[in-house]
Amino acid sequence: MANAREQLYASLDVGTTKVVTLVGKANPSGSIDIVATGYAPSVGMRKGMVVSPEAVRESIASSVQQAERSLGRKVPPVVAGVTGSHLKSRNSDDPVNVPMSVLPANGRFNEASGNALGSAGRLSDAVGMRVVQAVPRSYNANGSGDADSSGMFGKSIGHGSHIVMGDVVSVDTLLSTIRSAGVSVHSLALEHLASSEAVLTSEERLMGVILADIGGGSCDIAAYREGSVWHTASIPVAGQHFTNDVAAGLGIPPNAAERVKLLYGSTRFERVDAKETVDAQSGAGAQARPVHRKTLNRLLHDRAVELVRLMMQRLASNGLIRIPSGGIVLTGGSATLPGLAEIVADYGKCQVRIGVPSSVWGLPEELANATYSTSVGLLLWAIRQNAAAGERSAHPAAAAPRSGGWFSRLMGRQPAGAGV
Ligand SMILES: Nc1ncnc2c1ncn2[C@@H]1O[C@H](COP(=O)(O)OP(=O)(O)OP(=O)(O)O)[C@@H](O)[C@H]1O
Ligand SMILES: [Mg+2]
């Protein structure tokens, strides 16, 4: 149980397959103590979006209540993740000069943030879209050396911003569903950027890197160039499509397909003996059901190739023909499908690694798993946002946090140019 006076932060990752609640506190040393967690299977989400609010409400309530039981009190207002193919992103010449609390607590795009975002906010509202997030696109642009290299926190740096807009109805449905479960929302954050925050290094961002969070319902991409986010996209293809292909291709129910995928699946089929079989029974005690392993892997391979092609096409259509030298970092539950990283490396002609939330922040072992990248990233976001705001208000003359301050330690790295 947490001390009543401690400042607690919370994140809520409403995924297509699971809802994760994390509550943590930040130590002055820069590490994070996770003080409560909640996990529930997700029902009612499709491709990263709410399709059955009532079912999603129950999943959220179950996850949050689990965290509240170990916490001994209500979870603080959460930073919740948002994704889905309704999102549109673009780069703007307008700088962002407010710390990004993304959406105010009432979920409405307010005048202050509208002004800060310039024409982007007003335009997007006019066409039924809402600014979900805007992040600065350059850091250290003025040579002051104290900017934030994550690109997550606003500071007037004059080199433009990356603006993500979402369909008003989809965003409002997510917010109202979370609130209907009795949970206060501090702000929303893009799931791709949250995952990036948990798994990418600042060196990778500087070199240029592509993050792909392949979950159950969507493959969320964030491309970084010269240290800043440059493109974000959500492709509605992920783990559940792999499972559906296995179910259809082997003529077995979806739960059996999911099980056989997790137990035996791989994209490597060439060297598998055509006679080898594995058991695709739907659960313990169910009737044995042998299926050919080569067929299983071939189905997974074909879907993986299809997904990687979609990723490359999406990047190419946005001007990114060659993968930057930081390569591709895969995360999300589906990133761990054996052989997938090889296919991505083949098609992207680049280095590929599987990214998990880094343990440098003192995270428990079980959260150092690709499935939890978004959840951990959202929590980091909540903590750092507060730290950045605190340091800014403590030093109002400075437009950004001081080098060497609490914020810098939480970043887990020295800000660019610090000490120069
Ligand atoms: N070892 C594995 N091999 C293949 N697939 C896996 C493996 N482990 C997990 N998965 C898949 O990962 C998916 C869940 O990933 P994750 O928890 O990141 O999704 P999510 O956050 O709920 O969904 P989304 O972010 O897309 O809304 C499931 O489809 C599951 O089958
Ligand atoms: Mg996810």
Side-chain angles (χ1 to χ4, degrees):
M1 198 180 288
N3 179 322
R5 281 179 309 174
E6 276 166 352
Q7 166 93 52
L8 297 179
Y9 302 87
S11 68
L12 183 69
D13 176 13
V14 187
T16 307
T17 67
K18 45 87 169 89
V19 179
V20 175
T21 309
L22 295 182
V23 183
K25 69 181 174 76
N27 296 315
S29 63
S31 67
I32 292 174
D33 285 344
I34 302 290
V35 295
T37 59
Y39 181 102
S42 180
V43 184
M45 296 286 289
R46 197 158 170 264
K47 301 178 179 180
M49 292 180 284
V50 177
V51 290
S52 171
E54 181 57 25
V56 178
R57 183 188 69 76
E58 281 182 27
S59 306
I60 293 171
S62 160
S63 172
V64 170
Q65 283 162 13
Q66 196 181 326
E68 287 178 342
R69 277 194 294 277
S70 61
L71 195 62
R73 60 168 138 140
K74 265 193 96 55
V75 299
V78 300
V79 172
V82 61
T83 189
S85 49
H86 62 100
L87 297 171
K88 305 255 179 298
S89 74
R90 70 179 176 85
N91 294 325
S92 158
D93 289 340
D94 294 335
V96 176
N97 57 11
V98 286
M100 284 297 116
S101 64
V102 190
L103 278 178
N106 64 7
R108 293 197 60 80
F109 186 67
N110 67 19
E111 213 175 287
S113 48
N115 291 338
L117 296 174
S119 57
R122 288 187 291 277
L123 275 179
S124 62
D125 261 7
V127 292
M129 300 289 280
R130 167 169 297 164
V131 173
V132 174
Q133 192 152 20
V135 289
R137 281 203 55 241
S138 318
Y139 74 98
N140 202 23
N142 58 10
S144 67
D146 57 1
D148 137 41
S149 63
S150 73
M152 287 180 76
F153 300 99
K155 167 181 174 324
S156 187
I157 49 180
H159 271 214
S161 49
H162 182 74
I163 297 174
V164 183
M165 289 158 280
D167 169 59
V168 171
V169 175
S170 301
V171 175
D172 282 357
T173 305
L174 176 66
L175 281 167
S176 62
T177 305
I178 296 172
R179 292 194 180 114
S180 73
V183 180
S184 299
V185 181
H186 175 276
S187 53
L188 295 180
L190 206 64
E191 293 182 14
H192 343 355
L193 296 183
S195 299
S196 300
E197 196 56 16
V199 307
L200 295 182
T201 65
S202 38
E203 289 74 25
E204 283 170 334
R205 274 186 268 243
L206 276 175
M207 285 192 286
V209 67
I210 311 292
L211 173 113
D213 182 324
I214 312 175
S218 68
C219 169
D220 297 335
I221 297 175
Y224 288 78
R225 261 184 182 175
E226 296 175 354
S228 337
V229 62
W230 170 77
H231 179 66
T232 49
S234 180
I235 298 171
V237 175
Q240 288 186 338
H241 298 80
F242 286 80
T243 301
N244 292 345
D245 287 357
V246 170
L250 295 177
I252 58 177
N255 63 338
E258 175 73 11
R259 188 171 175 277
V260 78
K261 176 183 85 170
L262 296 182
L263 283 177
Y264 308 107
S266 160
T267 65
R268 304 176 191 118
F269 68 94
E270 285 97 342
R271 287 192 218 145
V272 178
D273 184 335
K275 295 200 197 81
E276 184 184 349
T277 60
V278 290
D279 187 6
Q281 62 171 14
S282 39
Q287 202 184 353
R289 179 162 197 155
V291 296
H292 287 111
R293 186 172 214 160
K294 194 165 186 128
T295 313
L296 168 70
N297 288 6
R298 177 87 208 212
L299 290 162
L300 294 170
H301 170 272
D302 291 355
R303 175 55 81 168
V305 168
E306 173 67 18
L307 174 57
V308 176
R309 281 202 183 123
L310 282 173
M311 280 169 54
M312 297 304 165
Q313 267 168 19
R314 181 63 68 94
L315 291 170
S317 67
N318 283 281
L320 208 147
I321 310 292
R322 249 189 318 129
I323 302 298
S325 54
I328 298 179
V329 177
L330 299 177
T331 194
S334 297
T336 51
L337 174 66
L340 177 62
E342 290 153 31
I343 293 178
V344 176
D346 242 32
Y347 276 78
K349 298 187 178 43
C350 64
Q351 60 179 25
V352 174
R353 74 172 178 93
I354 312 274
V356 299
S358 165
S359 56
V360 297
W361 300 299
L363 289 174
E365 192 78 354
E366 57 273 23
L367 290 179
N369 181 309
T371 283
Y372 297 117
S373 298
T374 303
S375 317
V376 171
L378 291 169
L379 186 67
L380 287 169
W381 176 287
I383 294 172
R384 289 171 182 171
Q385 203 174 34
N386 186 283
E391 291 201 4
R392 247 188 303 266
S393 65
H395 308 282
R402 281 187 315 174
S403 303
W406 187 40
F407 176 87
S408 320
R409 287 194 294 277
L410 280 168
M411 296 305 290
R413 51 191 175 241
Q414 279 294 93
V420 175

